[in-house]
Amino acid sequence: MVENKREPNDYVAQPPWKSPIALSLVLHGAILFFALVGWSWSTPSHEPPPRNISARLIMPEPQAPPAEPAAQPKPQPPAPEPEPEPQPDPEEEARKKAEQQAQEQKRHEDERRKQILLEKKKAEAAAKAEEEARKKAEAEAKAAAQRKAEEERRKAEEAQKAEQERRRKEAEAKAAEEKRKAEEQRRKEEAERKRQEQKERERREAEKRRQERERQQREDQLAALATEAQQEQAAAAQARKEAAAAARARDARMASESEKYEALIRERLSNAWYIPSSAQKGLVTTLEITLLPTGELVSVRITKSSGNSAFDNSALSAVRGVQRFPVPEEQDVFNRYFRTFSIQFDPETL
Amino acid sequence: MMRVIVTLVLAGLMALPAQAELLIRITEGADNALPVAVVPFGESGGVQVSENVGQIVRDDLAMSGEFKPLETSRMLSLPSSSDDVFFRDWRLLGQKYLLVGQLSPGDAGKVQARFELFDVNREQRILGATASAPANNLRGLAHHISDRVYEAITGNKGVFSTKIAYVTLDMENDKRVYRLNVSDVDGKQSRVRLKSNEPILSPAWSPDGQKLAYVSFETGRPAIYIHQLSSGDRTRIAQFPGLNSAPSWSPDGESMLMTLSRDGNAEIYEMDIDSRRLTRLTDHWAIDTEPSWSADGDELVFTSDRSGGPQVYAMDDDGDDMRRLTFGSRYNARPRFSPDGDHVFYVHQRDSSFHIARLNIETGEETILTRSKLDESPSVAPNGRLLIYATQQEGKSVLAVISADGGSNYILPSRYGDVREPAWSPFIN
């Protein structure tokens, strides 16, 4: 069948279809073909439209050979059309006859063709109706299927979406949960931290308070001690002060007493000292003298020489020239100041 | 100086009463002359003496102004050696030092002196020595002893054996007679070295004390002579046209400063004595004169009226670094350095009187040393302690000795009328 369909030109080239049988066969075959093909075409529910177009293509073929314009502009009977055309063959006579025959035949043929066409139309209409019904059914089925599929798909999608949504929600919920948990954890930790800090702060403050308390205690103790000590010191200081005052008074008395005698000694020594003419400014002789409580000279020695023997001798002579040094009768004053003392001979007026 | 001022140093007296040692500082002494007893020298071995050696020593020490000798009549004993000294006696008499001595015949007709000096207070002998001299020079022997005693007590070299040169003026037969004399510092043992009817001026000692230079007008014009004392030889070294005056020996004795007007104006020259070569040291329209060397020979002082009146100037020995020293009055002249170079002595006019003044070169402090009216020609003893100058007394010119710090004053006796132009010799060995 496939071959038939594919080789329409063979029919045109060969004259077998001259016979009505052949034509009939062809016609039937065509019908069958169409039916089959249409069935087969219809079966695949996917592409039904191109069936009709193919039929039309066949139609112009039979019309082509005769010069006569196709009486039937209808596209349905394309296949039988070419068959009558190849008949114009023999000689003149023959040809006329033949033409007659042919016309006759043609008339018959047209008759028949009309018949066929009619039938065919009927069949076609039936087929068409059937086809349409089928198509419709198919379409409906298909639509139904489609709808169903669509529905299913939609459902699936919806389900999927729902699933996704669910998952998302789950995830979100989970995330939220986790977040919440984390947050909670964080809060907990924060709280814990704060609690710890608070605790530490409190501990420190407590420590501080404790230290402060201790310090205060110590200070109090120290203050108490200090006060005590102060009182003691004050007492001691007072005692010392009194003692010092007494000592000062004694010292002052002794000092003034000693000063009196120092002045006397100076006068005696100055009167006894004859500064030698070789003395120059800067010459200094220091002597240490030791006296008896009676004022008598026990000893005199040079502790620092001037380097000028005449000058040194003049100092020694001056000391020796004082017969009896004026000294205080009071023994502690004498012992403090005059038992042993130094004299510096240091001329200023040269 | 008479006041007794003492400063007391009480080191830590109040602060450290128990441990402090009292220190008394004595800054001035008795300004009295030092009481010293010079016991008349004993004589032994039949020694013949023509002089009272003890008395000469006593006078020498008194002249110095630093001693006050005890009168012999007050002495309780007259020891002549340490064996006979009882310090208590001398202490009772307030004597600080005691000199005892004994004269005895020495070798070759000389007289020998043994002498001992004691510190009465310390009851200690501080000098014991012998010396001898020809019998006709017992004064020299006595001056020698004075020098030794003086030095032992004061620490300074004595000048009692040095000499004085001076010029006297007398009228004899209505004629002026000028004499150049040389004597001991006490004015004794004077000898006339030159006699002239023309003026004799400005005697100057050579550093060795053997020669004198002076200006004599004996030729009718002033000339400078060098006179050898031992031999009497004289040499005229300068008789240039015009003025020839004011000779002054250099410390090394090899050259002489003098004032010459040979170049038209009185300027100071230095003459090399051997070659007589002259070097002019000043060059000024004013009068520059009376030059005198410092003891170290580095500087000289002179008189110049370049400021309008006579003033004392100093300059280096090559004539550089001229500088005026005196500003105290409008007349300051005839300067002489002290031996230590610290002071300059000169004649200073105040009001209508002329005094001897002393300038401290370092401080510029001027001290008037004399109080008489017409004092002139100061000359310093070689130990710097005494100063001799000419002054007026009872209408006559006399020589006076004064302590260089202005203390004592001692008028030298002279047989002659007017005595001028004294010059104290250097130490003479």
Side-chain angles (χ1 to χ4, degrees), chain A residues 275-329:
Chain A
I275 303 175
S277 55
S278 62
Q280 292 171 327
K281 198 167 254 177
L283 284 184
V284 179
T285 298
T286 307
L287 308 179
E288 186 185 79
I289 74 172
T290 303
L291 300 179
L292 291 176
T294 59
E296 288 171 281
L297 183 70
V298 175
S299 66
V300 56
R301 65 186 183 92
I302 295 174
T303 52
K304 186 172 174 291
S305 167
S306 68
N308 177 327
S309 62
F311 188 84
D312 286 352
N313 284 340
S314 74
L316 288 170
S317 188
V319 171
R320 289 289 184 184
V322 177
Q323 285 298 293
R324 192 185 170 102
F325 283 82
V327 291
E329 286 182 13

Side-chain angles (χ1 to χ4, degrees), chain B residues 108-220:
Chain B
K110 286 183 175 178
V111 174
Q112 178 183 291
R114 252 190 71 253
F115 55 97
E116 295 170 280
L117 178 66
F118 299 93
D119 181 330
V120 174
N121 287 336
R122 296 160 67 196
E123 303 186 1
Q124 192 172 338
R125 194 180 86 168
I126 58 176
L127 175 67
T130 61
S132 62
N136 65 354
N137 191 21
L138 290 185
R139 293 199 73 90
L141 181 63
H143 290 319
H144 171 77
I145 294 169
S146 298
D147 285 339
R148 297 290 304 274
V149 169
Y150 179 86
E151 186 168 358
I153 295 172
T154 69
N156 284 323
K157 208 169 170 186
V159 292
F160 304 107
S161 298
T162 58
K163 304 288 183 184
I164 304 289
Y166 53 94
V167 177
T168 58
L169 170 62
D170 287 284
M171 296 300 288
E172 292 179 1
N173 303 323
D174 293 328
K175 276 191 171 180
R176 291 172 174 267
V177 178
Y178 293 89
R179 289 183 177 88
L180 174 65
N181 303 275
V182 173
S183 74
D184 291 352
V185 292
D186 56 6
K188 303 289 175 55
Q189 301 201 100
S190 68
R191 282 181 62 193
V192 176
R193 300 295 179 158
L194 180 69
K195 184 178 173 186
S196 172
N197 291 327
E198 301 298 330
I200 301 169
L201 297 170
S202 306
W205 288 91
S206 66
D208 59 5
Q210 303 299 315
K211 296 184 282 282
L212 280 174
Y214 50 82
V215 175
S216 172
F217 283 70
E218 64 199 59
T219 62

Side-chain angles (χ1 to χ4, degrees), chain B residues 29-166:
Chain B
D31 198 41
N32 300 319
L34 189 60
V36 59
V38 180
V39 180
F41 277 39
E43 294 167 11
S44 65
V47 67
Q48 296 294 312
V49 294
S50 56
E51 297 281 353
N52 187 338
V53 171
Q55 185 63 45
I56 296 167
V57 172
R58 198 152 48 235
D59 291 345
D60 282 349
L61 294 178
M63 187 186 75
S64 73
E66 298 179 44
F67 294 92
K68 188 173 77 179
L70 180 69
E71 296 160 33
T72 311
S73 60
R74 294 183 58 200
M75 293 178 184
L76 302 174
S77 60
L78 298 174
S80 57
S81 75
S82 58
D83 300 337
D84 305 323
V85 171
F86 295 97
F87 289 107
R88 183 178 159 276
D89 294 351
W90 303 103
R91 192 192 286 274
L92 282 174
L93 291 167
Q95 300 304 298
K96 303 303 174 190
Y97 294 92
L98 170 67
L99 178 69
V100 300
Q102 193 162 23
L103 300 173
S104 61
D107 300 334
K110 286 183 175 178
V111 174
Q112 178 183 291
R114 252 190 71 253
F115 55 97
E116 295 170 280
L117 178 66
F118 299 93
D119 181 330
V120 174
N121 287 336
R122 296 160 67 196
E123 303 186 1
Q124 192 172 338
R125 194 180 86 168
I126 58 176
L127 175 67
T130 61
S132 62
N136 65 354
N137 191 21
L138 290 185
R139 293 199 73 90
L141 181 63
H143 290 319
H144 171 77
I145 294 169
S146 298
D147 285 339
R148 297 290 304 274
V149 169
Y150 179 86
E151 186 168 358
I153 295 172
T154 69
N156 284 323
K157 208 169 170 186
V159 292
F160 304 107
S161 298
T162 58
K163 304 288 183 184
I164 304 289
Y166 53 94

